[in-house]
Structure formats: structure tokens, C-alpha cells
Amino acid sequence: MRIDIVTIFPEYFGVLDVSLLGRAREDGILDVQVHDLRAFTHDRHRTVDDKPYGGGAGMVMKPEPWGEALDAILDLDATAGEVDARLPPRDAPLVIFPSPAGEVFTQAMARELSTAGHLVFGCGRYEGIDQRVFEYAGSRASVRLVSLGDYVLNGGEVAVMAMIEAIGRLIPGVIGNPESLVEESHEDGLLEYPSYTKPAEWRGYEVPPVLMGGNHGAIATWRRDAQLERTRLVRPDLLPPE
Ligand code: ADE
């Protein structure tokens, strides 16, 4: 999968070099390119924002640098086959703008996006990006506004990191043992069951005996009950209506 990120803080994404995603990049499973939005400005101060039309607090990101950045990234898709015939034609790109005004990011969305060939993330800052940028991006590619949750961050960078981690680990080959993805929170609509390892007793706390008994049917039942109980207590909104 190819991922392009446009941001005024490229250094945020240094962590993509480490851990599982770093290895996936080394292995060629993930090709991540980070673009500094200021590289697409042409004034001495490399200005990316201005006062909002109509007044109000804060600054709005100017459309021109965004237009140039998106053109540079999306033109590569359009010409991949022409420039170098050895390059496979790229999949239709999907442009994602993290925004508290977007649809909420879920495990189901992460799974859907993990099958994409090319994702472009545009990180807004300040009071947001000039609305025309979304319209222009929509004329060139599929566009989605995606929120991490019902709270406000200072910008899209942290949201994009979270999304890339959630999406990246679902790409075949990124996680060594794919079975570890099966029984996680949210994969079957419930929170995951609690896990234990040795020692059997630690500081007076014991492992539930059923988990050490070797009866796989009983273990599966215990885990399912624990999932339901946890979900009922913490996230009843995830359960189907009775
Ligand atoms: N940018 C600011 N707040 C955000 C949120 N909650 N989700 C995604 N992007 C954001």
C-alpha cells in the first residue's frame, strides 16, 4: 500500500520508522511518503494560513498550497504507467482528511481501508482547511472526512498516526501471527476478553482456574461470557438491542 501524508509537521511521523510499521516499510509492504505542505508555498514566509472570510477567531489553511500538494501526489497516480512502464497502474486513490466534523473511525473502517492501494492523508491545523480544497480533492479522487472521536485535537497529525497504525496492522504480512488479529476488541462487535500469563498466582491475585484446566470448550464459553459482561458494563452501546 502506498500512503502519502501532507502536513506542516513532517517530524510527527518519524515514529513510522519504528516497530511493526517500520518493518513493514523496510519489507516494502508499506510505502509511506511524508510531504511538507510549506514546500508548496511560494512566499518568503511560507504562509499556509490566513484570516477567515466573514470574521471569527483563528486562522484557516489557504487553498493554494493544498491544491499544489494534492496535484503533485495525484498526478503521480495518473501518470504512473506513462512515466515508467514497469510501474503497475495505481489503484484509484482515496483522500482522507482527519476532522472532528467527519464520520467516526471504526475497526470496520480500518479493515475496509486496509484493502486500498493508495491512501492520501491531509492533516489540517488551525480552524481547518478552506472548504474548496475538499471540493477540489473530490473532483480528482474519492474523499472522506474522518474523525477519531468526539473530541478536538490541535490538528490531524495524531489522528492520522492512529489511523495508519490501525489500518497498517491489518495489511497481510505486517503482523507476524495473523491469528492474533482475530480475537481482538471490536473485531466481532464486542470488547475482547481479559488475558493472563504465568505465574498462576501473583501478589495474591489468581488466574481464573478454568483457563488452566485445558477444557477448550469451557475456556471458549468463559471468554465469550467475559466479553459480553465487559461490553455490557463499559460499552452497552455496542450490544444489539434486546
Ligand atoms: N482534528 C482535530 N480533531 C480531530 C478529531 N477528533 N479527529 C480527527 N481529526 C481531528
Side-chain angles (χ1 to χ4, degrees):
M1 179 190 289
R2 158 92 180 200
I3 294 180
D4 289 277
I5 304 167
V6 183
T7 171
I8 58 167
F9 294 121
E11 57 275 26
Y12 256 99
F13 296 94
V15 288
L16 286 172
D17 289 338
V18 299
S19 191
L20 285 174
L21 293 183
R23 181 137 27 94
R25 291 177 78 183
E26 276 171 27
D27 293 348
I29 299 173
L30 264 186
D31 172 11
V32 185
Q33 301 295 328
V34 183
H35 310 267
D36 185 348
L37 182 68
R38 291 191 199 278
F40 299 94
T41 58
H42 302 288
D43 63 312
R44 204 153 51 88
H45 301 291
R46 308 178 88 204
T47 312
V48 292
D49 62 331
D50 207 335
K51 293 192 290 271
Y53 272 122
M59 301 288 269
V60 176
M61 292 189 111
K62 293 163 66 61
E64 301 94 323
W66 277 105
E68 288 194 26
L70 290 170
D71 285 345
I73 293 166
L74 298 175
D75 284 353
L76 274 179
D77 279 290
T79 57
E82 293 166 32
V83 172
D84 185 342
R86 291 166 304 176
L87 292 173
R90 295 255 201 91
D91 289 348
L94 173 60
V95 182
I96 296 174
F97 291 100
S99 163
E103 51 183 322
V104 174
F105 187 67
T106 60
Q107 186 68 14
M109 196 191 293
R111 199 158 271 292
E112 181 195 336
L113 297 178
S114 71
T115 63
H118 185 192
L119 298 178
V120 180
F121 289 97
C123 303
R125 280 264 147 186
Y126 313 115
E127 293 307 304
I129 304 173
D130 187 302
Q131 180 64 25
R132 292 167 293 179
V133 172
F134 305 117
E135 288 161 27
Y136 175 68
S139 75
R140 298 211 48 180
S142 301
V143 173
R144 281 168 94 162
L145 265 62
V146 181
S147 170
L148 220 51
D150 293 338
Y151 44 82
V152 179
L153 304 166
N154 281 338
E157 283 77 7
V158 168
V160 167
M161 273 307 309
M163 286 188 243
I164 290 178
E165 180 148 325
I167 295 165
R169 63 197 293 282
L170 298 175
I171 298 173
V174 171
I175 289 211
N177 178 4
E179 271 182 38
S180 60
L181 297 173
V182 176
E183 295 190 344
E184 295 182 317
S185 284
H186 303 294
E187 275 301 338
D188 60 0
L190 299 174
L191 302 184
E192 67 189 347
Y193 52 77
S195 301
Y196 298 86
T197 185
K198 293 189 192 89
E201 199 228 289
W202 174 75
R203 297 191 177 185
Y205 297 93
E206 289 180 359
V207 173
V210 63
L211 298 179
M212 298 181 292
N215 178 337
H216 295 296
I219 291 171
T221 303
W222 183 89
R223 286 180 167 166
R224 186 77 187 165
D225 289 347
Q227 277 192 286
L228 285 166
E229 177 65 2
R230 205 178 227 192
T231 308
R232 194 180 59 74
L233 276 176
V234 183
R235 292 293 306 278
D237 55 299
L238 295 177
L239 293 170
E242 287 185 38

